Amino acid sequence: MTTGGEQTTAPAAPAGHAPRTAKRAMVGRLSWGLADQAASSLSNFVVGIYVARSLGLTAFGVFSLAWVTYGVVLSVSRGLATDPLVVRFSGVSDASWRAAVARSSGTALGVGAAIGVACLAVGPALGGDVGSAFACLGVVLPGLLLQDAWRYAFFAAGTGRKAFVNDLVWGVALVPAMVLAARVGSVAAFVLAWGASAAVAAAYGALQSGIRPRLTGAREWLREHRDLGYRYLVENVSTSGASQLRAYGLGAIVGVGAVGAVRGAELLLGPFMAVLMGLSLVTVAEAARVLRRTPHRLGTFCLLLGGGQAVAALLWGAALLLVPDRVGELVLGGVWSSASQLIVPAALGVAGAGLGTGAAAGLRALAAARRSLRCQLFASTCYVIGGLGGAAVAGTVGSAWGVAAATVCGSAVWWLQLRSALRERHQNPIPEVRTS
């Protein structure tokens, strides 16, 4: 139920004390977001390195196709289940949060089961290593999506420590799973190991929260939040779908090995991506809090957030250029020689994306779903055109430069839309609306 004008009161605090306390609380939540994503990205980085060294460039390309497909499915789950949760249930009462999480996590589980069945049906038709990898992905999707749903639920509640612990559990479970997969030595075995360890963390998440996902609540959740959910679905899928189209197109134009090279470059940027993704877990919730408490500071908050990430990406890319070839080969094996050629454009692309995430967080906090959808569709279209057009002109390197240019253009549009949304809100202020 949506209610307007809801107010809460708190004991008076000494002048200057409340702002300092709020800032410390925000820093604490951001720190847990970084710590959680550091744990998650470290495990993903180790998995990528381990698979690349174990299987070689071509088989690693097949694994990367399954990984990119998982990213698309994850975007569906987040758009329908966890994005509305973070926007509307950050900082609400515990009872409201628990009821919402039960339905949100049930929605994520249902998405995993439905698309998992589709992957199981498509896998045999594809045949070969690609087909077996997709079939195995179908088996593990429910656990992967439920684990991600717990993370977002914990951050919506401001308890990022629980998300961090959950990702640590996944990382610990990955160790024996990867060892067993290496003994089998196939792409399918690595996909199963990766997903099975996520299922362990998903089960632990239910113990942490004390909440059981309600599959029967998925329809109610989708109906109540369709004004945000379906727009976020299109927005998220356009992002990951563009990445998937680029991967498939690059494989068709240049070869599957090119997909492995791009994934290798992404792994090199992994530590910084941990920062980018870690912040993204909490930035929408934090922007929503800023909007409720000090709405005039939202634009500054978003600018500092996006600008800081862009500068950090450029510094990390510069550091990668100094890595000796022997060190790179020690890390990526045979993938290094191809991936190292993509460092500069990949770093520029991540810097552009980092700048844009600041504006995206602001639009999400404002619930300006139409504006954010237009931005994302434009950015995704540029991404596909730049990535595939560059591949047709200059192969893998051309694709990387095309993506970098597209990302910077997309970021500019995000900021133009945020500026318009802030101006519109200033001219037509509306009372606070809280969903409970």
Side-chain angles (χ1 to χ4, degrees):
M1 180 176 66
T2 302
T3 59
E6 181 178 339
Q7 297 180 346
T8 58
T9 60
H17 177 73
R20 288 197 300 270
T21 301
K23 287 181 180 179
R24 283 198 296 268
M26 178 186 294
V27 170
R29 290 188 294 267
L30 290 174
S31 298
W32 279 119
L34 291 174
D36 170 71
Q37 191 59 41
S40 176
S41 293
L42 179 61
S43 64
N44 289 341
F45 179 76
V46 171
V47 168
I49 295 299
Y50 198 65
V51 175
R53 292 183 62 84
S54 300
L55 299 179
L57 185 61
T58 301
F60 182 57
V62 174
F63 181 84
S64 298
L65 289 177
W67 187 290
V68 170
T69 303
Y70 156 70
V72 176
V73 180
L74 185 62
S75 296
V76 174
S77 176
R78 288 179 177 174
L80 294 177
T82 55
D83 283 346
L85 177 77
V86 171
V87 170
R88 287 181 166 159
F89 294 92
S90 292
V92 299
S93 68
D94 183 68
S96 296
W97 175 81
R98 294 180 68 84
V101 170
R103 291 176 293 156
S104 174
S105 59
T107 302
L109 192 60
V111 169
I115 301 182
V117 170
C119 289
L120 284 169
V122 170
L126 294 175
D129 288 342
V130 174
S132 61
F134 272 75
C136 292
L137 180 64
V139 173
V140 301
L141 272 177
L144 285 165
L145 298 190
L146 182 58
Q147 192 274 338
D148 185 75
W150 292 131
R151 296 173 69 206
Y152 277 78
F154 292 141
F155 279 111
T159 55
R161 176 179 57 84
K162 291 185 177 181
F164 173 71
V165 172
N166 191 272
D167 270 322
L168 283 184
V169 170
W170 186 3
V172 171
L174 266 171
V175 175
M178 287 289 110
V179 171
L180 290 175
R183 291 182 179 179
V184 177
S186 67
V187 176
F190 278 106
V191 173
L192 286 175
W194 167 54
S197 55
V200 173
Y204 181 65
L207 294 176
Q208 286 178 291
S209 63
I211 299 172
R212 294 177 59 183
R214 281 184 53 203
L215 275 170
T216 55
R219 180 176 297 179
E220 179 186 2
W221 177 264
L222 294 175
R223 183 177 64 252
E224 289 182 356
H225 304 285
R226 62 180 179 272
D227 59 323
L228 295 182
Y230 293 118
R231 288 192 176 97
Y232 288 160
L233 168 65
V234 176
E235 183 179 329
N236 291 352
V237 170
S238 69
T239 304
S240 54
S243 179
Q244 189 176 30
L245 286 174
R246 184 227 182 167
Y248 290 160
L250 188 60
I253 296 170
V254 184
V256 176
V259 181
V262 170
R263 177 61 184 155
E266 292 172 352
L267 287 174
L268 292 174
L269 289 161
F272 172 74
M273 292 300 293
V275 176
L276 181 64
M277 298 301 295
L279 289 174
S280 70
L281 287 170
V282 293
T283 49
V284 175
E286 290 306 318
R289 290 185 176 96
V290 171
L291 182 62
R292 289 191 183 103
R293 296 169 182 169
T294 53
H296 62 284
R297 295 181 179 175
L298 180 61
T300 302
F301 172 80
C302 295
L303 182 60
L304 290 174
L305 176 66
Q309 291 178 91
V311 171
L314 294 176
L315 291 175
W316 183 258
L320 287 176
L321 293 175
L322 302 177
V323 174
D325 286 341
R326 63 180 182 276
V327 176
E329 290 170 358
L330 181 65
V331 174
L332 288 180
V335 178
W336 166 256
S337 61
S338 299
S340 61
Q341 300 177 38
L342 309 180
I343 290 175
V344 173
L348 290 174
V350 173
L355 184 62
T357 56
L363 287 175
R364 286 285 177 97
L366 291 166
R370 290 183 179 179
R371 290 185 181 276
S372 62
L373 176 58
R374 288 197 295 267
C375 290
Q376 193 55 66
L377 289 175
F378 175 81
S380 298
T381 301
C382 289
Y383 183 94
V384 174
I385 293 174
L388 297 186
V393 173
T396 309
V397 175
S399 178
W401 278 107
V403 165
T407 305
V408 172
C409 291
S411 178
V413 172
W414 278 105
W415 279 102
L416 289 173
Q417 287 294 320
L418 176 61
R419 186 178 67 173
S420 298
L422 289 173
R423 185 185 299 114
E424 181 179 280
R425 188 179 190 278
H426 178 71
Q427 294 173 349
N428 302 291
I430 58 174
E432 177 184 347
V433 177
R434 179 176 295 179
T435 301
S436 59

